[in-house]
Amino acid sequence: MNTDQALALHQSSTIFDGLVIAKWNRDLFEDMAKGGLTAANCTVSVWEGFKDTIDNITEFNQFYRDNSDLIMPVHTTSDIAKAKQQGKTGIILGFQNANAFEDQIGYVEIFKKLGVGIVQMAYNTQNLVGTGCYERDGGLSGFGREIVAEMNRVGIMCDLSHVGPQTSEEVILASTKPVCYSHCLPYGLKEHPRNKTDEELRFIAEHGGFIGVTMFAPFLKNGINSTVHDYIEAIDYVVDIAGEDCVGIGTDFTQGHDQQFFDMLTHDKGYARRLTNFGKIINPEGIRTLGEFPNLTAAMLQHGWSESKIKKIMGENWVRVLKDVWGE
């Protein structure tokens, strides 16, 4: 394997990141371009309600205008192909919490029309839909079933990354479209409430779902001492369970954020009880920034992955499943 071969493969592939929650600004969009990122699911709502989420989307509309040379909105998978063709990064707006729907089923379609393509059912704790992974899991509520059905209808993917095991299982069974863990790691490599057991990974795959593997160091086997090779080990672990057709990348890049941001994430509702403490946040050596994405393709080749496997995991699998969910 030579570096030219790795770079050529990276440049010819669709590179899709299933979860980025970075500090949005031009520097970040430039780094996405440097990394050859074709498209990404970009978080615009965590604890926010309807209005504050609308404000975040309004801000993103301004980003599209100010950075039209670098990014473009994605509403369909053909937009992802267009972004690749134009050398831009396509942005899918995503939520990490269904909180922004409040108690209005009609808001689901409103957000879909604004470019929201993936929504996580709950973030770490309880909401009106179901339960997150950091408290006793009461399962999917009756209202939650209606939200899942509406998300299926309008074409928004249900994400279960931070969702409790019971709620996750019930969403998987209730949904008529594939659902995902957009950014998770295997419990078999590190025991952590955010990681998914072999049984959970197998269950979602057997029901046509999708698994994006994260590189968030606190959940990796070697923690902050992890390298890009530890990340590839985690992806292979998931592929061994789920098969290589329903696995992709979901980095959970938090690039550019300060301690205050992590404090907001790790407290219920952004301010209440502390749920967890990540400690030091540093991405695996070799892929510390979005701009270093080509190193991931090179490392996959080093691990003996075939070009077809690399292309699938780096983006083709995500595009295929989104095409199904989005009803194209």
Side-chain angles (χ1 to χ4, degrees), residues 18-42:
L19 200 284
V20 180
I21 181 170
K23 176 83 175 159
W24 311 119
N25 54 36
R26 183 157 181 95
D27 286 349
L28 193 277
F29 303 138
E30 284 174 346
D31 213 41
M32 283 176 156
K34 184 183 171 192
L37 202 57
T38 311
N41 167 26
C42 297

PDB file of all heavy atoms in Angstrom, residues 18-42:
ATOM      1  N   GLY A  18     -21.576   9.898  10.043  1.00  0.00           N
ATOM      2  CA  GLY A  18     -22.927   9.781  10.595  1.00  0.00           C
ATOM      3  C   GLY A  18     -23.202  10.629  11.810  1.00  0.00           C
ATOM      4  O   GLY A  18     -24.356  10.688  12.260  1.00  0.00           O
ATOM      5  N   LEU A  19     -22.186  11.316  12.359  1.00  0.00           N
ATOM      6  CA  LEU A  19     -22.452  12.228  13.477  1.00  0.00           C
ATOM      7  C   LEU A  19     -21.277  13.167  13.713  1.00  0.00           C
ATOM      8  O   LEU A  19     -20.176  12.742  14.074  1.00  0.00           O
ATOM      9  CB  LEU A  19     -22.738  11.449  14.771  1.00  0.00           C
ATOM     10  CG  LEU A  19     -23.484  12.167  15.914  1.00  0.00           C
ATOM     11  CD1 LEU A  19     -22.630  13.147  16.686  1.00  0.00           C
ATOM     12  CD2 LEU A  19     -24.765  12.834  15.441  1.00  0.00           C
ATOM     13  N   VAL A  20     -21.530  14.445  13.500  1.00  0.00           N
ATOM     14  CA  VAL A  20     -20.563  15.491  13.855  1.00  0.00           C
ATOM     15  C   VAL A  20     -21.302  16.516  14.711  1.00  0.00           C
ATOM     16  O   VAL A  20     -22.395  16.965  14.370  1.00  0.00           O
ATOM     17  CB  VAL A  20     -19.978  16.181  12.598  1.00  0.00           C
ATOM     18  CG1 VAL A  20     -18.977  17.265  12.991  1.00  0.00           C
ATOM     19  CG2 VAL A  20     -19.305  15.163  11.683  1.00  0.00           C
ATOM     20  N   ILE A  21     -20.709  16.868  15.862  1.00  0.00           N
ATOM     21  CA  ILE A  21     -21.318  17.870  16.742  1.00  0.00           C
ATOM     22  C   ILE A  21     -20.241  18.908  17.086  1.00  0.00           C
ATOM     23  O   ILE A  21     -19.931  19.189  18.231  1.00  0.00           O
ATOM     24  CB  ILE A  21     -21.968  17.208  17.986  1.00  0.00           C
ATOM     25  CG1 ILE A  21     -22.621  18.235  18.906  1.00  0.00           C
ATOM     26  CG2 ILE A  21     -20.975  16.307  18.730  1.00  0.00           C
ATOM     27  CD1 ILE A  21     -23.473  17.690  20.011  1.00  0.00           C
ATOM     28  N   ALA A  22     -19.642  19.446  16.023  1.00  0.00           N
ATOM     29  CA  ALA A  22     -18.503  20.348  16.176  1.00  0.00           C
ATOM     30  C   ALA A  22     -18.956  21.793  16.367  1.00  0.00           C
ATOM     31  O   ALA A  22     -20.144  22.114  16.330  1.00  0.00           O
ATOM     32  CB  ALA A  22     -17.603  20.236  14.948  1.00  0.00           C
ATOM     33  N   LYS A  23     -17.998  22.665  16.559  1.00  0.00           N
ATOM     34  CA  LYS A  23     -18.249  24.113  16.634  1.00  0.00           C
ATOM     35  C   LYS A  23     -18.338  24.604  15.194  1.00  0.00           C
ATOM     36  O   LYS A  23     -17.350  24.647  14.469  1.00  0.00           O
ATOM     37  CB  LYS A  23     -17.074  24.777  17.362  1.00  0.00           C
ATOM     38  CG  LYS A  23     -17.151  26.284  17.439  1.00  0.00           C
ATOM     39  CD  LYS A  23     -18.019  26.734  18.593  1.00  0.00           C
ATOM     40  CE  LYS A  23     -17.978  28.244  18.735  1.00  0.00           C
ATOM     41  NZ  LYS A  23     -19.145  28.731  19.485  1.00  0.00           N
ATOM     42  N   TRP A  24     -19.556  24.964  14.774  1.00  0.00           N
ATOM     43  CA  TRP A  24     -19.758  25.308  13.367  1.00  0.00           C
ATOM     44  C   TRP A  24     -19.188  26.687  13.043  1.00  0.00           C
ATOM     45  O   TRP A  24     -19.587  27.686  13.631  1.00  0.00           O
ATOM     46  CB  TRP A  24     -21.258  25.277  13.023  1.00  0.00           C
ATOM     47  CG  TRP A  24     -21.930  24.026  13.480  1.00  0.00           C
ATOM     48  CD1 TRP A  24     -22.968  23.931  14.379  1.00  0.00           C
ATOM     49  CD2 TRP A  24     -21.629  22.678  13.090  1.00  0.00           C
ATOM     50  NE1 TRP A  24     -23.312  22.616  14.568  1.00  0.00           N
ATOM     51  CE2 TRP A  24     -22.516  21.823  13.790  1.00  0.00           C
ATOM     52  CE3 TRP A  24     -20.699  22.128  12.221  1.00  0.00           C
ATOM     53  CZ2 TRP A  24     -22.495  20.436  13.641  1.00  0.00           C
ATOM     54  CZ3 TRP A  24     -20.680  20.734  12.075  1.00  0.00           C
ATOM     55  CH2 TRP A  24     -21.561  19.919  12.774  1.00  0.00           C
ATOM     56  N   ASN A  25     -18.256  26.719  12.117  1.00  0.00           N
ATOM     57  CA  ASN A  25     -17.704  27.979  11.608  1.00  0.00           C
ATOM     58  C   ASN A  25     -16.899  27.665  10.342  1.00  0.00           C
ATOM     59  O   ASN A  25     -16.741  26.501   9.977  1.00  0.00           O
ATOM     60  CB  ASN A  25     -16.824  28.688  12.670  1.00  0.00           C
ATOM     61  CG  ASN A  25     -15.731  27.785  13.210  1.00  0.00           C
ATOM     62  OD1 ASN A  25     -15.167  26.968  12.494  1.00  0.00           O
ATOM     63  ND2 ASN A  25     -15.419  27.939  14.498  1.00  0.00           N
ATOM     64  N   ARG A  26     -16.400  28.693   9.715  1.00  0.00           N
ATOM     65  CA  ARG A  26     -15.698  28.489   8.434  1.00  0.00           C
ATOM     66  C   ARG A  26     -14.461  27.601   8.595  1.00  0.00           C
ATOM     67  O   ARG A  26     -14.180  26.766   7.731  1.00  0.00           O
ATOM     68  CB  ARG A  26     -15.322  29.839   7.810  1.00  0.00           C
ATOM     69  CG  ARG A  26     -14.665  29.624   6.434  1.00  0.00           C
ATOM     70  CD  ARG A  26     -14.733  30.804   5.507  1.00  0.00           C
ATOM     71  NE  ARG A  26     -14.091  30.460   4.234  1.00  0.00           N
ATOM     72  CZ  ARG A  26     -14.719  30.007   3.163  1.00  0.00           C
ATOM     73  NH1 ARG A  26     -16.041  29.860   3.186  1.00  0.00           N
ATOM     74  NH2 ARG A  26     -14.065  29.705   2.055  1.00  0.00           N
ATOM     75  N   ASP A  27     -13.736  27.766   9.693  1.00  0.00           N
ATOM     76  CA  ASP A  27     -12.555  26.925   9.923  1.00  0.00           C
ATOM     77  C   ASP A  27     -12.923  25.446   9.889  1.00  0.00           C
ATOM     78  O   ASP A  27     -12.213  24.618   9.318  1.00  0.00           O
ATOM     79  CB  ASP A  27     -11.918  27.244  11.284  1.00  0.00           C
ATOM     80  CG  ASP A  27     -11.177  28.573  11.272  1.00  0.00           C
ATOM     81  OD1 ASP A  27     -10.983  29.129  10.166  1.00  0.00           O
ATOM     82  OD2 ASP A  27     -10.809  29.057  12.354  1.00  0.00           O
ATOM     83  N   LEU A  28     -14.050  25.138  10.527  1.00  0.00           N
ATOM     84  CA  LEU A  28     -14.505  23.753  10.583  1.00  0.00           C
ATOM     85  C   LEU A  28     -14.888  23.253   9.187  1.00  0.00           C
ATOM     86  O   LEU A  28     -14.527  22.144   8.794  1.00  0.00           O
ATOM     87  CB  LEU A  28     -15.693  23.668  11.555  1.00  0.00           C
ATOM     88  CG  LEU A  28     -16.210  22.316  12.066  1.00  0.00           C
ATOM     89  CD1 LEU A  28     -17.153  21.638  11.103  1.00  0.00           C
ATOM     90  CD2 LEU A  28     -15.085  21.384  12.497  1.00  0.00           C
ATOM     91  N   PHE A  29     -15.612  24.084   8.435  1.00  0.00           N
ATOM     92  CA  PHE A  29     -16.020  23.683   7.077  1.00  0.00           C
ATOM     93  C   PHE A  29     -14.794  23.507   6.169  1.00  0.00           C
ATOM     94  O   PHE A  29     -14.770  22.616   5.320  1.00  0.00           O
ATOM     95  CB  PHE A  29     -16.999  24.696   6.480  1.00  0.00           C
ATOM     96  CG  PHE A  29     -18.235  24.910   7.320  1.00  0.00           C
ATOM     97  CD1 PHE A  29     -18.758  26.190   7.512  1.00  0.00           C
ATOM     98  CD2 PHE A  29     -18.884  23.837   7.928  1.00  0.00           C
ATOM     99  CE1 PHE A  29     -19.891  26.393   8.285  1.00  0.00           C
ATOM    100  CE2 PHE A  29     -20.019  24.032   8.707  1.00  0.00           C
ATOM    101  CZ  PHE A  29     -20.521  25.311   8.897  1.00  0.00           C
ATOM    102  N   GLU A  30     -13.779  24.327   6.388  1.00  0.00           N
ATOM    103  CA  GLU A  30     -12.528  24.176   5.620  1.00  0.00           C
ATOM    104  C   GLU A  30     -11.844  22.853   5.971  1.00  0.00           C
ATOM    105  O   GLU A  30     -11.278  22.182   5.107  1.00  0.00           O
ATOM    106  CB  GLU A  30     -11.583  25.356   5.890  1.00  0.00           C
ATOM    107  CG  GLU A  30     -12.003  26.623   5.155  1.00  0.00           C
ATOM    108  CD  GLU A  30     -11.155  27.841   5.521  1.00  0.00           C
ATOM    109  OE1 GLU A  30     -10.408  27.771   6.530  1.00  0.00           O
ATOM    110  OE2 GLU A  30     -11.240  28.859   4.805  1.00  0.00           O
ATOM    111  N   ASP A  31     -11.914  22.473   7.248  1.00  0.00           N
ATOM    112  CA  ASP A  31     -11.303  21.210   7.664  1.00  0.00           C
ATOM    113  C   ASP A  31     -12.075  20.012   7.098  1.00  0.00           C
ATOM    114  O   ASP A  31     -11.474  18.996   6.738  1.00  0.00           O
ATOM    115  CB  ASP A  31     -11.217  21.130   9.192  1.00  0.00           C
ATOM    116  CG  ASP A  31      -9.986  20.360   9.647  1.00  0.00           C
ATOM    117  OD1 ASP A  31      -8.915  20.552   9.041  1.00  0.00           O
ATOM    118  OD2 ASP A  31     -10.092  19.566  10.602  1.00  0.00           O
ATOM    119  N   MET A  32     -13.399  20.151   7.003  1.00  0.00           N
ATOM    120  CA  MET A  32     -14.200  19.104   6.356  1.00  0.00           C
ATOM    121  C   MET A  32     -13.741  18.907   4.903  1.00  0.00           C
ATOM    122  O   MET A  32     -13.592  17.780   4.427  1.00  0.00           O
ATOM    123  CB  MET A  32     -15.687  19.484   6.365  1.00  0.00           C
ATOM    124  CG  MET A  32     -16.388  19.295   7.705  1.00  0.00           C
ATOM    125  SD  MET A  32     -18.108  19.885   7.599  1.00  0.00           S
ATOM    126  CE  MET A  32     -18.878  18.948   8.928  1.00  0.00           C
ATOM    127  N   ALA A  33     -13.505  20.033   4.222  1.00  0.00           N
ATOM    128  CA  ALA A  33     -13.037  19.980   2.828  1.00  0.00           C
ATOM    129  C   ALA A  33     -11.665  19.318   2.756  1.00  0.00           C
ATOM    130  O   ALA A  33     -11.405  18.477   1.893  1.00  0.00           O
ATOM    131  CB  ALA A  33     -12.987  21.378   2.230  1.00  0.00           C
ATOM    132  N   LYS A  34     -10.792  19.682   3.678  1.00  0.00           N
ATOM    133  CA  LYS A  34      -9.438  19.103   3.731  1.00  0.00           C
ATOM    134  C   LYS A  34      -9.510  17.586   3.910  1.00  0.00           C
ATOM    135  O   LYS A  34      -8.732  16.832   3.333  1.00  0.00           O
ATOM    136  CB  LYS A  34      -8.660  19.740   4.888  1.00  0.00           C
ATOM    137  CG  LYS A  34      -7.213  19.294   4.985  1.00  0.00           C
ATOM    138  CD  LYS A  34      -6.539  19.926   6.201  1.00  0.00           C
ATOM    139  CE  LYS A  34      -5.167  19.310   6.434  1.00  0.00           C
ATOM    140  NZ  LYS A  34      -4.627  19.712   7.761  1.00  0.00           N
ATOM    141  N   GLY A  35     -10.477  17.138   4.715  1.00  0.00           N
ATOM    142  CA  GLY A  35     -10.637  15.708   4.967  1.00  0.00           C
ATOM    143  C   GLY A  35     -11.374  14.972   3.860  1.00  0.00           C
ATOM    144  O   GLY A  35     -11.513  13.752   3.907  1.00  0.00           O
ATOM    145  N   GLY A  36     -11.842  15.724   2.860  1.00  0.00           N
ATOM    146  CA  GLY A  36     -12.549  15.092   1.750  1.00  0.00           C
ATOM    147  C   GLY A  36     -13.913  14.553   2.140  1.00  0.00           C
ATOM    148  O   GLY A  36     -14.416  13.590   1.561  1.00  0.00           O
ATOM    149  N   LEU A  37     -14.543  15.201   3.136  1.00  0.00           N
ATOM    150  CA  LEU A  37     -15.837  14.732   3.632  1.00  0.00           C
ATOM    151  C   LEU A  37     -16.946  15.052   2.633  1.00  0.00           C
ATOM    152  O   LEU A  37     -17.170  16.205   2.297  1.00  0.00           O
ATOM    153  CB  LEU A  37     -16.114  15.406   4.979  1.00  0.00           C
ATOM    154  CG  LEU A  37     -17.097  14.744   5.926  1.00  0.00           C
ATOM    155  CD1 LEU A  37     -16.662  13.317   6.250  1.00  0.00           C
ATOM    156  CD2 LEU A  37     -17.227  15.552   7.205  1.00  0.00           C
ATOM    157  N   THR A  38     -17.632  14.014   2.158  1.00  0.00           N
ATOM    158  CA  THR A  38     -18.699  14.216   1.176  1.00  0.00           C
ATOM    159  C   THR A  38     -19.961  14.746   1.834  1.00  0.00           C
ATOM    160  O   THR A  38     -20.630  15.637   1.310  1.00  0.00           O
ATOM    161  CB  THR A  38     -19.039  12.888   0.463  1.00  0.00           C
ATOM    162  OG1 THR A  38     -17.832  12.279   0.016  1.00  0.00           O
ATOM    163  CG2 THR A  38     -19.973  13.117  -0.703  1.00  0.00           C
ATOM    164  N   ALA A  39     -20.312  14.167   2.997  1.00  0.00           N
ATOM    165  CA  ALA A  39     -21.534  14.577   3.695  1.00  0.00           C
ATOM    166  C   ALA A  39     -21.450  14.173   5.152  1.00  0.00           C
ATOM    167  O   ALA A  39     -20.687  13.270   5.517  1.00  0.00           O
ATOM    168  CB  ALA A  39     -22.770  13.961   3.039  1.00  0.00           C
ATOM    169  N   ALA A  40     -22.239  14.855   5.984  1.00  0.00           N
ATOM    170  CA  ALA A  40     -22.240  14.554   7.419  1.00  0.00           C
ATOM    171  C   ALA A  40     -23.590  14.876   8.037  1.00  0.00           C
ATOM    172  O   ALA A  40     -24.279  15.809   7.608  1.00  0.00           O
ATOM    173  CB  ALA A  40     -21.135  15.345   8.117  1.00  0.00           C
ATOM    174  N   ASN A  41     -23.935  14.099   9.058  1.00  0.00           N
ATOM    175  CA  ASN A  41     -25.096  14.373   9.900  1.00  0.00           C
ATOM    176  C   ASN A  41     -24.639  15.330  10.996  1.00  0.00           C
ATOM    177  O   ASN A  41     -23.859  14.954  11.873  1.00  0.00           O
ATOM    178  CB  ASN A  41     -25.603  13.045  10.488  1.00  0.00           C
ATOM    179  CG  ASN A  41     -26.604  13.240  11.629  1.00  0.00           C
ATOM    180  OD1 ASN A  41     -27.290  14.241  11.702  1.00  0.00           O
ATOM    181  ND2 ASN A  41     -26.676  12.238  12.514  1.00  0.00           N
ATOM    182  N   CYS A  42     -25.082  16.584  10.917  1.00  0.00           N
ATOM    183  CA  CYS A  42     -24.585  17.645  11.798  1.00  0.00           C
ATOM    184  C   CYS A  42     -25.642  18.031  12.837  1.00  0.00           C
ATOM    185  O   CYS A  42     -26.750  18.434  12.494  1.00  0.00           O
ATOM    186  CB  CYS A  42     -24.202  18.862  10.958  1.00  0.00           C
ATOM    187  SG  CYS A  42     -22.858  18.499   9.805  1.00  0.00           S
TER     188      CYS A  42
END
